[in-house]
Amino acid sequence: VARTGAELGQALALWWLVERAQSRRWQRPEVSRAGVSRRLRRAFEHLGPTYIKLGQIISSGEGLFPAELVAEFRLLRDRVSPERFEDVRAVVEGDLGRPLEEVFSSFERAPVAAASIAQVHAATLRSGERVVVKVQRPDVAATVRRDLAAMSWIAPALIGRIPVAALANPPALVELFAETILEELDFRLEADNMLDIAHVLAVTGQRSVVVPRPHPRLVTRRVLVMECLEGFSFDDVEGMRRAGIDTEAVVRALIISFLEGATLHGVFHGDLHGGNLFVQADGRVALLDYGITGRLDEPRRLAFLRMLMGGSLNDPRMQLAALRDLGALPPDTDLDAVVRDLGLDQPTQDPTTMAPDDLLREVREVTKRLLAYGARFPKVLMLFVKDFLFIDGALATLAPDVDLFAEITQIATYFTLRHGQRIAGDIGIDPRDNPVDLEGVRAAVGVSSDVDRLTYRELQERRALIRR
């Protein structure tokens, strides 16, 4: 805790003395934002894997977090300072039990990417097969456990002090970090996750997303050798478009495969960000890094499916019942009272037309009412929300002019035609008899019922106005 406080305190103190002072002197607020973002990113990098992972989550929140912060924290995806090659060689040889030259005919000394837990090197097997080798950082396990101990010590102290922190459920956040990051420390689990996700893609007939094959005899706790895939960086929008790739279709495929895995099979990639995927020349999305994989047991999968179906049908009570079953509300919650107290049965009020004081008062009132009902952010949904933060950012870069209402209708139609019978059997509601109702979507983004088209670019402009 002391080390974390010292690192962050130093970063903020230097920002206060340098960039903030310059910003005031030059009347340029962007200098201050850029300075604090850069110093926080460096502090997170110094603090190590756990904080780098937090930074990666922030980097996926384009449109939600300040642009300067998102841009800086993107560097934590795959541009963290790498380990020395001698240390990498020692880990690979120690885990494989053979000299490097007996396994690989070539092994690039400089990593292709370096992130929080591991770094990746290009290599060629003695058979001539091109592969990539994921190698765990030597002392990462001890560092992660120390960070988690500090976080778990301070998280309970936040409850009751900050209302929003109570809703966010800090102990559950730390518990989720503990489970996911500790899983990331065993690459054998990651190889299993890769096969499970590939199985879901196969049985759903999803061919727009691909998974690299792990090499069956070259997987250990700290070393993972896998098929080499290549393509465009997820941020290289111009490159994709020059190659004739439909970037809107890329995002749509990612959303559909993600929802199919979660709602129909209870398994989904739990760490989507720009460093973990790229787009191949034929438009398929190559999905990498399966250290964090979301899993829903059957009762929670069905609750999750009901929650999304409730959104499609604009049925707030069904959504609240599903959230209760997921652990967001106590089991004995009076759902009709929640609907009334939160005004979910009232016409939508556009937040962009509200006075700042009224908007703040409304947010505080909603938070107070949720806390009174014992609301908590369930751990099972945290990975899902984290992934949708990334998809939100992907829409901003790859499909800013897509009509969100038309896109939601298209995705709902896909699920109705392809999986309608399965959904009806699972939850007793047949989407083929219940078309999507966009009123709930309009309410979620705060627009009136007479708005029949909303692009993502327009949504971003609304968010910016609300923030101001």
Side-chain angles (χ1 to χ4, degrees):
V1 171
R3 177 172 174 266
T4 302
E7 196 75 52
L8 294 177
Q10 181 184 34
L12 293 173
L14 288 172
W15 159 72
W16 181 279
L17 292 172
V18 181
E19 288 88 4
R20 186 176 182 274
Q22 292 174 344
S23 171
R24 287 190 163 188
R25 188 163 59 249
W26 300 337
Q27 297 292 302
R28 292 178 58 191
E30 69 275 9
V31 172
S32 177
R33 292 194 300 268
V36 72
S37 300
R38 183 175 62 257
R39 293 190 184 279
L40 284 175
R41 189 262 301 169
R42 288 174 179 167
F44 273 42
E45 188 171 342
H46 291 159
L47 285 167
T50 316
Y51 295 90
I52 290 171
K53 187 64 64 180
L54 283 170
Q56 290 172 352
I57 295 173
I58 293 172
S59 77
S60 300
E62 188 165 353
L64 300 177
F65 297 109
E68 295 86 354
L69 194 65
V70 169
E72 276 293 333
F73 278 38
R74 275 180 181 160
L75 300 176
L76 296 179
R77 292 175 180 175
D78 54 10
R79 298 185 205 170
V80 182
S81 299
E83 301 291 335
R84 297 184 311 137
F85 180 70
E86 291 74 14
D87 296 330
V88 171
R89 174 190 280 272
V91 171
V92 175
E93 293 182 343
D95 271 40
L96 297 183
R98 288 172 281 172
L100 208 65
E101 291 73 18
E102 284 190 17
V103 183
F104 306 98
S105 60
S106 69
F107 193 104
E108 294 294 329
R109 296 176 65 92
V112 176
S116 55
I117 302 293
Q119 57 193 58
V120 177
H121 293 257
T124 305
L125 296 176
R126 301 291 295 181
S127 63
E129 179 186 353
R130 292 178 60 234
V131 294
V132 292
V133 185
K134 184 174 181 178
V135 185
Q136 192 174 119
R137 294 177 180 269
D139 300 320
V140 70
T143 305
V144 165
R145 286 181 170 86
R146 187 174 63 239
D147 290 340
L148 291 172
M151 288 182 175
S152 63
W153 183 76
I154 201 162
L158 298 177
I159 298 177
R161 300 179 186 278
I162 308 170
V164 173
L167 280 178
N169 199 355
L173 275 171
V174 173
E175 187 180 346
L176 178 66
F177 265 110
E179 290 178 1
T180 55
I181 292 180
L182 291 176
E183 281 182 13
E184 281 195 272
L185 296 176
D186 191 338
F187 292 171
R188 296 167 297 187
L189 294 176
E190 179 170 351
D192 282 344
N193 291 337
M194 294 166 78
L195 298 178
D196 287 345
I197 297 291
H199 173 72
V200 169
L201 295 173
V203 297
T204 55
Q206 183 62 257
R207 295 293 179 265
S208 54
V209 178
V210 295
V211 178
R213 296 180 183 88
H215 197 289
R217 292 184 177 85
L218 297 174
V219 178
T220 71
R221 186 174 64 84
R222 298 187 298 169
V223 176
L224 173 58
V225 180
M226 69 193 100
E227 175 186 11
C228 178
L229 299 176
E230 296 177 336
F232 294 94
S233 161
F234 213 68
D235 296 328
D236 186 8
V237 182
E238 291 305 315
M240 288 186 231
R241 288 175 178 161
R242 283 196 300 270
I245 295 172
D246 183 346
T247 54
E248 291 183 5
V250 165
V251 180
R252 187 181 306 122
L254 193 62
I255 294 172
I256 288 174
S257 65
F258 174 53
L259 291 177
E260 282 179 326
T263 60
L264 303 179
H265 298 274
V267 58
F268 58 92
H269 193 295
D271 194 19
L272 294 181
H273 63 74
N276 282 349
L277 40 80
F278 53 80
V279 180
Q280 297 182 295
D282 59 4
R284 293 185 299 168
V285 178
L287 199 51
L288 314 173
D289 194 349
Y290 294 79
I292 300 177
T293 300
R295 294 183 183 274
L296 300 164
D297 58 24
E298 190 63 5
R300 287 175 173 173
R301 180 187 73 82
L302 295 176
F304 189 73
L305 182 55
R306 288 196 303 274
M307 184 185 72
L308 294 181
M309 181 59 93
S312 174
L313 301 179
N314 187 25
D315 187 336
R317 197 182 189 286
M318 184 192 297
Q319 289 180 292
L320 286 172
L323 284 167
R324 176 198 60 199
D325 295 342
L326 287 168
L329 292 165
D332 59 350
T333 300
D334 183 342
L335 299 180
D336 293 323
V338 177
V339 170
R340 289 193 304 272
D341 282 356
L342 298 185
L344 300 178
D345 55 351
Q346 300 299 315
T348 302
Q349 186 172 5
D350 186 341
T352 63
T353 64
M354 298 172 68
D357 288 345
D358 293 338
L359 183 57
L360 284 171
R361 186 165 49 250
E362 185 72 19
V363 171
R364 291 194 189 103
E365 189 61 30
V366 168
T367 303
K368 188 189 304 180
R369 289 173 183 172
L370 284 170
L371 287 171
Y373 279 107
R376 293 290 184 273
F377 197 173
K379 185 178 67 175
V380 71
L381 282 183
M382 288 178 183
L383 285 181
F384 182 80
V385 171
K386 173 178 172 293
D387 278 357
F388 253 98
L389 279 176
F390 168 73
I391 290 173
D392 184 276
L395 282 165
T397 54
L398 296 181
D401 296 311
V402 68
D403 179 2
L404 294 176
F405 297 153
E407 198 68 20
I408 290 168
T409 301
Q410 185 172 344
I411 291 172
T413 301
Y414 170 90
F415 273 85
T416 298
L417 297 177
R418 194 171 184 87
H419 304 298
Q421 185 174 353
R422 165 75 185 275
I423 294 170
D426 278 350
I427 61 174
I429 301 172
D430 194 334
R432 294 167 295 186
D433 301 329
N434 297 275
V436 62
D437 182 352
L438 290 176
E439 281 307 305
V441 180
R442 292 188 180 94
V445 295
V447 298
S448 59
S449 57
D450 60 345
V451 177
D452 56 10
R453 188 177 190 278
L454 181 71
T455 68
Y456 190 83
R457 196 186 302 276
E458 291 167 339
L459 179 60
Q460 282 184 302
E461 291 169 356
R462 289 176 56 80
R463 285 177 177 169
L465 177 58
I466 290 168
R467 277 199 300 270
R468 287 198 297 272

